[in-house]
C-alpha cells in the first residue's frame, strides 16, 4: 500500500453551539489540514496520484473556509454540523473522497486547531 500526504492551512473563526465553555464564544484559529491518501496501484509514471493534483483538490475543499466564520459555511449552519475539529475532519474527508480517482482512497484527515491539538478522522478501525 502506498500513502501520500499533503498539508495546507487556512485562517477562520468559529464558535461551538451547545457548549458551555470559552469556545462557545467566537474565536479564530490558523487551521492546519493534513490529508493522507492511499492506494495499491501506481500509474505508468510510477505515481499513485500527482502531489499537485492533491494540493489543488485540498485547496478546493478548504478555500471555502478561509477568512470566514465556519458557522456560516454550508454544512455547518445551525441545523447542520457543529464546527468542531472532529466535524471539520469528517467533512473534509468526505469531500476529498468523492473527488479522488477510483484507485485512490482517503486514509485519514488531520485537523489541527493549534500546535498541540488535532482531531483525526478515518473510516478504518
Amino acid at each position: 500500500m502506498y500513502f501520500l500526504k499533503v498539508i495546507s492551512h487556512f485562517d477562520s473563526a468559529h464558535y461551538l453551539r451547545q457548549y458551555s465553555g470559552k469556545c462557545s464564544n467566537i474565536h479564530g484559529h490558523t487551521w492546519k489540514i493534513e490529508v493522507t491518501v492511499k492506494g495499491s496501484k501506481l500509474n505508468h509514471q510510477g505515481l499513485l496520484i500527482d502531489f499537485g493534483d492533491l494540493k489543488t483538490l485540498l485547496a478546493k475543499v478548504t478555500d471555502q473556509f478561509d477568512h470566514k466564520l465556519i458557522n456560516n459555511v454550508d454544512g455547518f449552519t445551525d441545523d447542520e454540523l457543529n464546527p468542531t475539529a472532529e466535524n471539520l475532519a469528517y467533512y473534509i474527508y468526505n469531500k476529498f473522497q468523492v473527488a479522488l480517482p477510483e484507485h485512490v482512497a482517503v486514509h485519514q484527515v488531520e485537523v489541527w486547531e493549534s500546535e498541540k491539538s488535532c482531531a483525526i478522522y478515518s473510516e478504518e478501525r
Side-chain angles (χ1 to χ4, degrees), residues 39-105:
S40 60
K41 295 184 181 185
L42 303 180
N43 67 16
H44 69 281
Q45 299 166 310
L47 302 173
L48 178 62
I49 187 171
D50 189 279
F51 279 115
D53 294 340
L54 290 175
K55 291 175 187 175
T56 298
L57 177 55
L58 183 54
K60 285 181 182 177
V61 172
T62 59
D63 280 354
Q64 66 185 318
F65 300 115
D66 194 33
H67 288 81
K68 302 268 177 60
L69 177 61
I70 296 174
N71 299 69
N72 293 339
V73 174
D74 286 343
F76 293 93
T77 59
D78 287 339
D79 57 341
E80 299 172 313
L81 295 173
N82 204 12
T84 62
E86 294 89 339
N87 280 334
L88 276 171
Y90 170 81
Y91 179 90
I92 293 167
Y93 182 103
N94 286 297
K95 291 292 184 181
F96 214 85
Q97 183 60 58
V98 298
L100 287 172
E102 191 174 289
H103 71 285
V104 181

Side-chain angles (χ1 to χ4, degrees), residues 5-21:
K5 181 186 282 192
V6 290
I7 301 171
S8 185
H9 74 276
F10 60 88
D11 298 305
S12 66
H14 72 147
Y15 58 89
L16 301 182
R17 297 183 298 273
Q18 301 175 352
Y19 181 81
S20 60

Side-chain angles (χ1 to χ4, degrees), residues 22-33:
K22 291 193 296 184
C23 291
S24 65
N25 297 315
I26 190 169
H27 62 283
H29 299 282
T30 297
W31 302 87
K32 178 181 172 184
I33 310 299

